[in-house]
Amino acid sequence: MTLELIGTIAVAICLFIGAIFTLVGAIGLLKFNDSLTRLHAPTKVGTMGVGALLLASMIHSYTFADGSMHELLIMAFLFVTAPISANFMAKVNLHRRTCETPPPPPRDRTWSTLDAPGGHEDLVDVIAAERHGEETAG
């Protein structure tokens, strides 16, 4: 087996895996009911699909040409930014109350930013009161 044949087989496998992951992500985006569950399909499965497609492009460029680092940079940027953008989209949905809000936290009314006190000074007072309660209890 030559290097070109191994490279071609590896490219075909990566393309197939990338296409399956991307297809599953697209189907999930269409089939899920609300926006938070729809968010999981393109950010998780779709990211892996695009990563496999970029890996196929990298293998092809190093097998049949001089090689390229562009795909590696695109993949790194994709894997870094996809979770961050998913987090921001989820926060927007929580703030707009377009989805079911999470259950209340056990002992804290200032969880995330859903039920924040009136201002920064109130937040400092709440934290100081909680610390004072822990000191007197312990």
Side-chain angles (χ1 to χ4, degrees), residues 30-103:
L30 295 173
K31 291 290 182 179
F32 286 142
N33 295 333
D34 64 350
S35 56
L36 282 182
T37 53
R38 278 190 193 141
L39 185 62
H40 289 287
T43 55
K44 304 213 178 8
V45 180
T47 302
M48 291 303 295
V50 173
L53 295 175
L54 287 169
L55 183 62
S57 176
M58 284 177 58
I59 293 171
H60 182 271
S61 68
Y62 280 105
T63 303
F64 296 105
D66 292 337
S68 173
M69 292 297 289
H70 295 121
E71 293 91 352
L72 185 63
L73 294 173
I74 293 168
M75 196 182 307
F77 184 73
L78 176 74
F79 288 145
V80 168
T81 58
I84 295 168
S85 61
N87 184 22
F88 284 136
M89 286 185 269
K91 286 280 195 178
V92 166
N93 284 316
L94 286 173
H95 284 290
R96 292 175 124 192
R97 304 213 188 267
T98 58
C99 61
E100 187 176 322
T101 56

Side-chain angles (χ1 to χ4, degrees), residues 111-124:
W111 178 81
S112 186
T113 57
L114 292 177
D115 191 17
H120 178 70
E121 295 80 19
D122 293 339
L123 182 61
V124 171

